[in-house]
Amino acid sequence: MFLAHAFGQRYDLPIPLLLYVLGGATVVVASFALVLPRAVGRDPEPLAGDGPDGPGLSPGLSAGEGSTASPPLRFAVPGVVSVLLLAALVACGLLGSQETAENILPTLFWLVVWIAVPLSCGLLGDWTRPVNPFAFLARAADRPGARALLLGGERPLKWPRKLGWWPAVALYFGAACGELVFNVTATVPAHIAWALICYAVVSAAGGLLYGRAWLDRGELFTVLFDTWGRLGWFRFGAEGRRGFARGLDRSFSRSPSRVVFVLLLLISVNFDGLLATPKWNRLELRMPGQLAAHTQRLELFRTATFVGLALAITALFGAFAVASSRAGRHRTSSGGALAGLLPSLLPIAFGYLLAHNLQYLVVNAQLLFPLIGNPTGLESWPLHLGYPFNDDFEPHLRLLPTAFYWYVSVATIIVVHVVAVVLAHRHLGRRGESVRAARSSEYPWLVAMVAYTMLSLWLIAQPLVREEQHSRPESSPAAADRVPAGADRAAPAGTGGRPPAAGTVGR
């Protein structure tokens, strides 16, 4: 099984948590005070227009968001290799052990593809285009001859304007629910394998019907990794200059679906953090009707909570964005106001993704060693490798002290909020009707940034730290390797949350 977010002893804070939270908020305010006097050029940013589309573009596509032109088949060799690797993993899922801990597919997908790869894109840029098997299948199916045979014409169908990025939104929401709500089902190797097969067929069909428009707006991993890649240092062929967050010079579309997709990157991690708090676990246990004991009811409750949280956070950020727009007299729509500030939210989403999953990654990545030695988990596997690629290996729960994760998380959350303040300053300074109006427009967004900094630090602290000095766990070696009471445990089997915790690789 996967391990939970927190391991070993929790860190005893030397000062009250409130002081850390207030200190982080103070740093964000101080950064605002430093950048506020800096003048910003009044040249308008490259916006896609108040509607979903920019002028002169094909319906359904915005500036900086791709085109409907059918691209040539690229990245043939790495693409073929990636498809073969996908087929091998699917075979492991279908034919191998159905125990989550014994099959490589759940760990590789949920730990590496879903968390580690987005983090790497946020640091390096979107390096995944040559090795994305679903994008390769879509490009391979994007053949004029195939369309002429099946559709009676060589040109791809026009992507419906109202469809926007909603396919990618729906796919991301479904995958996030699989990770956080329905993980008892979503971590079964055969279920993951069949889901990958179905999605491969869908992606190929999307490429056949809509060409590149499917990749730009519908294919989940292309949209996901491209969005994270705008933060990374390298562009890997994408628009923008080299440097951290330089990809954000390319504006996001004002399409509601594009706005929702970017916000979901932040909201899904916040929801994961909420589920990790002991207070939320106690709330579920106290719910009437023994909610925690009924899997379907609990899954429905958590799904509704996820949707409610998404609506609430979107409404709150939208309200602050509109307040900033009105203060700066931007003369733009409500959607345009929020879309313009999306680049300042993406670093926050990345920072929270890193802070929330850092310990989870460091410990659970160790599970890959024995899984590489026997990816199917079957005793009949013909290859027998030595340590650490065999069943004798056990993950080190305390590879790094909890204090390390806490202080790295605090620093990460503060730094990304400071970056967000700088990016918002750049945008609002350019859009303001006057210098005075531009500066006035920054205050509402500053309030949102400070509040979110404080909330993020509180959420990050819940599974990692403890303020009560008198409630130390047992000091025996055995107790040190157990997840302490109140730490971030994944919910028991059948209750959703992160997959069930385990102290060792379960062979």
Side-chain angles (χ1 to χ4, degrees), residues 43-129:
D43 294 335
E45 294 179 347
L47 298 174
D50 287 330
D53 308 306
L57 297 175
S58 300
L61 287 174
S62 304
E65 298 289 357
S67 68
T68 55
S70 177
L73 186 60
R74 301 173 60 194
F75 312 126
V77 173
V80 170
V81 172
S82 70
V83 171
L84 292 176
L85 178 60
L86 174 64
L89 291 172
V90 166
C92 288
L94 294 176
L95 305 176
S97 170
Q98 293 307 297
E99 291 294 329
T100 301
E102 299 179 356
N103 196 301
I104 195 172
L105 183 56
T107 301
L108 199 63
F109 181 80
W110 289 116
L111 189 74
V112 178
V113 176
W114 195 245
I115 298 177
V117 173
L119 287 174
S120 70
C121 289
L123 291 171
L124 301 176
D126 181 14
W127 55 269
T128 66
R129 281 190 257 181

Side-chain angles (χ1 to χ4, degrees), residues 184 291-300 493-496:
V184 174
L291 180 69
H294 295 83
T295 303
Q296 293 182 344
R297 292 181 186 176
L298 185 60
E299 290 174 345
L300 180 61
T495 62

Side-chain angles (χ1 to χ4, degrees), residues 149-224:
L149 180 64
L150 297 175
L151 305 178
E154 294 186 352
R155 293 185 59 82
L157 300 177
K158 184 175 294 184
W159 188 263
R161 178 173 182 173
K162 293 183 178 180
L163 195 57
W165 279 263
W166 289 121
V169 170
L171 289 166
Y172 182 84
F173 180 79
C177 284
E179 177 200 16
L180 303 174
V181 178
F182 304 100
N183 64 66
V184 174
T185 299
T187 55
V188 175
H191 294 171
I192 301 174
W194 279 113
L196 293 176
I197 291 172
C198 292
Y199 184 60
V201 173
V202 168
S203 189
L208 173 66
L209 295 175
Y210 296 106
R212 183 174 174 180
W214 163 254
L215 291 178
D216 291 333
R217 294 196 159 199
E219 204 283 292
L220 170 61
F221 297 104
T222 300
V223 178
L224 178 64

Side-chain angles (χ1 to χ4, degrees), residues 211-399:
R212 183 174 174 180
W214 163 254
L215 291 178
D216 291 333
R217 294 196 159 199
E219 204 283 292
L220 170 61
F221 297 104
T222 300
V223 178
L224 178 64
F225 298 149
D226 171 76
T227 303
W228 285 122
R230 296 191 186 196
L231 289 171
W233 179 267
F234 301 102
R235 298 277 68 84
F236 291 105
E239 296 180 17
R241 293 175 292 171
R242 178 180 296 185
F244 289 118
R246 288 295 187 181
L248 295 175
D249 294 341
R250 178 164 53 113
S251 64
F252 288 109
S253 168
R254 295 182 176 187
S255 167
S257 56
R258 187 58 163 138
V259 173
V260 170
F261 184 88
V262 177
L263 287 176
L264 271 180
L265 301 183
L266 176 61
I267 295 167
S268 61
V269 188
N270 288 152
F271 180 56
D272 191 6
L274 179 65
L275 295 180
T277 62
K279 290 181 175 61
W280 181 263
N281 291 333
R282 289 194 291 268
L283 172 66
E284 290 184 342
L285 291 173
R286 293 170 183 169
M287 292 292 289
Q290 295 182 329
L291 180 69
H294 295 83
T295 303
Q296 293 182 344
R297 292 181 186 176
L298 185 60
E299 290 174 345
L300 180 61
F301 173 71
R302 287 186 170 183
T303 303
T305 302
F306 190 7
V307 173
L309 184 67
L311 293 174
I313 292 180
T314 301
L316 284 172
F317 276 126
F320 281 109
V322 169
S324 292
S325 176
R326 291 181 177 177
R329 301 171 187 172
H330 293 177
R331 297 185 179 88
T332 187
S333 65
S334 299
L338 182 55
L341 286 166
L342 279 183
S344 68
L345 294 178
L346 193 61
I348 298 176
F350 175 81
Y352 197 82
L353 182 69
L354 175 61
H356 183 65
N357 290 291
L358 179 60
Q359 189 178 19
Y360 182 73
L361 278 171
V362 169
V363 177
N364 281 286
Q366 300 173 59
L367 299 174
L368 288 171
F369 287 112
L371 291 172
I372 291 172
N374 185 354
T376 64
L378 299 175
E379 294 182 2
S380 58
W381 180 253
L383 299 179
H384 301 282
L385 304 180
Y387 186 89
F389 302 103
N390 57 30
D391 296 346
D392 295 330
F393 177 82
E394 294 185 2
H396 300 283
L397 302 187
R398 296 191 297 165
L399 188 64

Side-chain angles (χ1 to χ4, degrees), residues 479-493:
D481 284 337
R482 291 200 298 264
V483 180
D488 171 19
R489 292 180 181 275

